[in-house]
Amino acid sequence: MPRFSIVVPSHGVAGRLSQALDSVLAQSFGDFELIPVCDAPDAPAADVVTEYAERDSRVTPVHSPPSDGLAGARNTGLRAAVGGHVLFLDGDDVLVPGALAALDARLDEAGEVDVLYFEHERTPWWEGEPTNPAAPLLARTPDGAFPPDRAPLLTGVTLPAWSAVYRRAFLTEHNIAFPGDHFTDVGFGGLVALRAERVAALRTVVVRHLMRRQGNRPALPGEHHAELLDQTELVLTRAAEQDLPADRLKPLFEQLFAAVLKTAAHPRRLTSGRRAFFRRASTLYRRHRPDGYRAPGGSLGVQHRLLASGSYAAFRLLRAAHRTASRAAALLPRPRGLRTRLRYAAALRLPLDRNLVVYCAYWGRGYVCNPAAIHAKARELAPHLRAVFLVEPDAVGSMPPGVDYAVIGSRKYWQVLARAKYLVNNANFADAVVKRPGSVHLQTQHGTPLKTMAADQATYPVVAAATGSFAKLLARVDRWDYNLTSNRHSTEMWERAFPSTHETLEYGYPRNDVYCTASAEDVARVRKELGVPDGKKALLYAPTHRDYATGFETGLDLAEFCEAIGDEYVVLLRAHYFYDRGASRGGGRIIDVTGHRSSEDVCLAADGLITDYSSIMFDYANLDRPIVVYADDWDVYRETRGVYFDLMELPPGRVARTPGELAAVFRDGSWADETATSLRAAFRERFCQFDDGRAAERVVRRVLLGEPPASIPPVIPLAERVPAPAATLVRS
């Protein structure tokens, strides 16, 4: 029997789960079992956990459906545990080095105890000093093991479940499990403290809790706050049944109702049912108030007395008195220009247009990328919806006939942004755009991340300096309702880079649907439009942007490269969209396609891809055509920009470091040999998970038509997909 069973729920923390698991497996004390609790075998966290279970026999994952919540996940892990003591660790927490050894030593020193409480550190997600909220409480406890009545302030309800280790036999003997779902720590901690006969404290930090930017679920707005009263009633009812002594009942009562009053007074937590919450809390207060109880002084004492008397009207007035003008001012829209600001504010007071969808791609570059693909499918499946694309003035001429648009900054632009029910973007809307209640914001993204993004850029000075205010960036992220991903890697990285409360849709990228639906005739048409000569192999050269460089430089002499590989090839040059100025580059065997509207068309036309670190490789891999990575400055790029994985260890094909190596792989044919094919297959397995040709349909049905998740078409397995045919290559 292992000394410790460590239960780690993983719902919604796939992007940080590895840190939690690594912190356990790196402990110097190794007598434990690690029980990650996943939603299902195909959940995002399951992929992470499977890798750990294959490497270490101490990792034994179990499954608990999301509908069972955090309490259900912990209870499932507890039922599976066989260790002598149980420790609950959230998926975004870590054990500090030496934590298990310290717990083991303290347990040996204290003897058999039901609960060992310990300190924990709360670390702000962004900046600020860590805090240790348990330290003042545990500092007042006796040094050795002791009965709970010697530390009446240690009621359990103020400490999270992961701030203690529990004797498993004690929990099973008393049938103690996590009650409810939300605020389950309150109920569990209270029940444990009421039943425990012998406890101890360890005045050392054991768990480091990384606070989420979006806040913990109990602090977020919603109807779930009513469950705080359920947990309060449960604990106080059990205390009454046990005839808890007054010296223990008073701090328990006071700590529980401190949380209740904090919720009742908070301006945003209770979105509805404030009066009902207050009335029920008042009833519980009077029913369970200890004999002779005296309310504390000051403002808190006033709240106690109002709750005892059931005076909701007076309580509401007291709460309103604490609101500040600055909070109201922060909600005002602030587009530039007084006239525009007033018009936008007036439009925000009008009802939402439930049939209006606003699209924008690449900050107004036109009818492209995922927004365009979603719009095209919406025309087919949801013809009742009216669409408006937001475009810059120089993109107006590229808009397809019949597609309505509004020039960014115009009066129409602000009107449709104020009234639209649905807002779809592959970047972000302006800071001044207000997220209206009832509106739906869909972030489609425009690539799979190799380089660090958003919040993860903060530690890279060159990138951070160019990014601007991270606070403003994340305020824009807070408007998202849905975020689209094309593979599990993106799901995990976006969770880290864009911490917020949006829902992730693992539906694939709609722009990539064409890679599974285009025909040989479509490929031939695009090649003709681009000027690719018949019979020539077209190589797409698509380098990415360098944060540390100014202007566009290919890093490769394309004329010399073409000369070195022979005249059977032509090169399609596509610079990063940052450098699309409409000017032509190259000539002869070099065809500049930077200004071509659709990167998907360009990919269809190419028989192979040469890139460095551009995300186009992930999209192009859906075509199952050869990819060569030209990594002449990988070390500089990795150190300057930061990357999420080592591309040199997981390339989509052959890798070349110099112009000579690059030319050689085409001269000897190794760019498309069996080794290159094997590397590409592994890459596709990891990064082409959801792009099956039906992504746009899934998005339209779920987001724009509101169909339930169960009715959304499932993803077609990779082995069953048939990519669009290449013009000159025969796919194995």
Side-chain angles (χ1 to χ4, degrees), residues 87-102:
L87 174 66
F88 298 96
L89 187 71
D90 281 358
D92 47 5
D93 296 340
V94 296
L95 289 181
V96 302
L100 294 184

Side-chain angles (χ1 to χ4, degrees), residues 35 51 217 272 356 370 406 424 500 528 651:
I35 309 175
E51 295 179 7
R217 175 63 176 165
S272 61
L356 176 58
N370 291 317
V424 180
S500 194
K528 184 176 181 179

